[in-house]
């Protein structure tokens, strides 16, 4: 086992978040967790096909970043592990589950499946099966926002893009090319590296000469920060600062969130490569339990309130399955539709 990473310290100040913020973050993290647990159940029951990559353990990153933005207005780009990013961006659980079932009512009309979630309405730019493929797409959206503001004189154009990708993508050429462009033009971008230590089955420390990804932006004069990706309040704090910088025209931020996936790379992965001791180290740092304990200790909520929210969210997830199962399959006559843009 490689020596474990030291997580950046973060101590939220008393009163730093409101009860409403705390409940919003808790609700979003459990929605992601409960949804992914249900996906595993449905996959093993033969309701989903192909590759399904779950997000369990990494919920603090999605919730902390996207909820610091303007969901439905700002842009989000994802990876093949995209279900929870879609949910945080506001895509209804029904539409995400229906997409996983390959149904017409899915957010991508059943054409995208697990790895290609997309929602124009919610500014979700897509999930991408190819590593690093979403980075230039999100950078392009940020460029468009900057262009409308600076070149076309639209003062209201202050939208920010957040691009999520894994540690493996940080060794890809598109990563470095886009960092250079974003820093050069001071684009309103958040590059969010979800460093879960494993690029499929390759240990991050074995794949890169400089494991500290957040330092790689310095080559382009880009601000970089490392954060405990198992602490939603830490991620939320860092993201709010980065979003504020981006909207103020101060350019992009490279955020490296040290996190860990609680399941294998995909549901087809027996997860035999990762050491037992490593898993136990990270399982003990469950971001949802950490947030719940903080909210209760601060007197912001009671255990009864959190339990009620658990039941509410579980009902939403159960409803999404019923909706997906009862939704129609795509019509074979529309096989070639959605290949090209329509008027």
């Amino acid at each position: 086992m490689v020596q474990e990473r030291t997580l950046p310290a973060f101590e939220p100040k008393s009163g730093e978040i409101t009860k409403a913020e705390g409940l919003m973050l808790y609700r979003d993290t459990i929605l992601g967790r409960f949804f992914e647990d249900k996906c595993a159940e449905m996959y093993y029951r033969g309701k989903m096909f192909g590759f399904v990559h779950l997000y369990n353990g990494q919920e603090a990153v999605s919730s902390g970043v996207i909820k610091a933005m303007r969901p439905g207005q700002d842009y989000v780009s994802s990876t093949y592990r995209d279900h929870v990013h879609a949910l945080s961006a506001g895509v209804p659980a029904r539409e995400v589950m229906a997409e996983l079932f390959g149904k017409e009512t899915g957010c991508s009309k059943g054409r995208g499946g697990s790895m290609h979630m997309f929602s124009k309405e919610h500014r979700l730019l897509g999930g991408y099966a190819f590593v690093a493929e979403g980075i230039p797409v999100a950078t392009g959206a940020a460029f468009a926002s900057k262009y409308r503001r600076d070149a076309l004189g639209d003062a209201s154009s202050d939208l920010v893009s957040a691009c999520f990708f894994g540690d493996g993508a940080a060794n890809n050429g598109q990563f470095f090319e886009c960092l250079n462009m974003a820093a050069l033009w001071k684009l309103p971008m958040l590059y969010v590296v979800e460093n879960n230590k494993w690029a499929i089955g390759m240990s991050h420390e074995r794949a890169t000469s400089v494991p500290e990804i957040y330092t790689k932006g310095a080559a382009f004069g880009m601000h970089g920060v490392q954060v405990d990706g198992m602490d939603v309040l830490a991620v939320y704090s860092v993201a709010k600062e980065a979003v504020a910088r981006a909207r103020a025209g101060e350019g992009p931020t490279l955020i490296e969130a040290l996190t860990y996936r609680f399941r294998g790379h995909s549901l087809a992965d027996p997860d035999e490569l990762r050491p037992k001791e490593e898993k136990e180290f990270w399982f003990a740092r469950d971001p949802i339990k950490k947030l719940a304990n903080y909210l209760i200790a601060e007197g912001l909520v009671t255990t009864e309130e959190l339990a009620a929210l658990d039941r509410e969210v579980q009902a939403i997830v159960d409803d999404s399955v019923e909706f997906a199962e009862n939704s129609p399959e795509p019509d074979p006559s529309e096989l070639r539709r959605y290949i090209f843009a329509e008027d």
Side-chain angles (χ1 to χ4, degrees), residues 181-198:
M181 294 170 68
L184 179 65
W185 294 328
K186 291 190 175 181
L187 300 185
M189 271 295 309
L190 274 63
Y191 293 102
V192 185
V193 187
E194 297 183 298
N195 186 347
N196 62 22
K197 298 193 65 173
W198 293 87

Side-chain angles (χ1 to χ4, degrees), residues 109-127:
K109 306 297 183 183
R111 274 72 167 178
S114 174
M115 294 189 283
H116 299 286
M117 298 287 170
F118 174 83
S119 177
K120 178 181 178 181
E121 176 187 355
H122 300 93
R123 300 298 178 95
L124 179 66
L125 298 172

Side-chain angles (χ1 to χ4, degrees), residues 78-293:
S78 185
T79 66
Y80 47 69
R81 204 179 301 279
D82 57 353
H83 317 159
V84 177
H85 294 147
L87 293 169
S88 292
V91 182
R94 281 184 162 194
E95 293 185 18
V96 179
M97 189 64 77
E99 187 59 39
L100 285 158
F101 275 54
K103 297 298 185 71
E104 180 69 29
T105 54
C107 59
S108 297
K109 306 297 183 183
R111 274 72 167 178
S114 174
M115 294 189 283
H116 299 286
M117 298 287 170
F118 174 83
S119 177
K120 178 181 178 181
E121 176 187 355
H122 300 93
R123 300 298 178 95
L124 179 66
L125 298 172
Y128 295 89
F130 287 103
V131 173
E133 191 179 20
I135 300 178
V137 175
T139 303
F143 175 80
S145 179
K146 175 85 169 177
Y147 187 84
R148 284 194 296 268
R149 187 173 188 173
D150 293 355
L152 302 182
D154 182 358
S156 66
S157 182
D158 64 347
L159 300 181
V160 175
S161 290
C163 181
F164 294 87
F165 51 97
D167 43 281
N171 295 323
N172 190 294
Q174 294 180 95
F175 169 71
F176 295 101
E177 292 177 36
C178 289
L179 257 60
N180 178 59
M181 294 170 68
L184 179 65
W185 294 328
K186 291 190 175 181
L187 300 185
M189 271 295 309
L190 274 63
Y191 293 102
V192 185
V193 187
E194 297 183 298
N195 186 347
N196 62 22
K197 298 193 65 173
W198 293 87
I200 305 181
M202 172 61 73
S203 169
H204 173 59
E205 285 77 9
R206 291 183 59 200
T208 184
S209 57
V210 180
E212 296 78 16
I213 299 173
Y214 76 102
T215 65
K216 298 185 179 184
F220 309 102
M222 182 183 298
H223 179 62
V225 59
Q226 192 178 66
V227 64
D228 181 355
M230 307 300 280
D231 186 337
V232 66
L233 297 181
V235 178
Y236 187 57
S237 177
V238 163
K240 285 195 295 184
E241 182 180 338
V243 169
R245 290 184 67 254
R247 282 202 217 285
E250 297 174 13
T253 301
L254 174 59
I255 300 172
E256 180 185 12
L258 301 182
T259 186
Y260 199 74
R261 53 176 166 80
F262 287 174
R263 293 179 179 267
H265 171 66
S266 76
L267 286 175
D269 174 15
D271 197 20
E272 297 173 345
L273 293 173
R274 301 187 299 174
K276 179 175 180 289
E277 298 79 12
E278 178 184 286
K279 295 178 188 178
E280 290 175 348
F281 175 90
W282 289 94
F283 290 166
R285 287 155 177 77
D286 190 315
I288 295 176
K289 292 180 181 177
K290 182 172 181 129
L291 176 60
N293 291 338

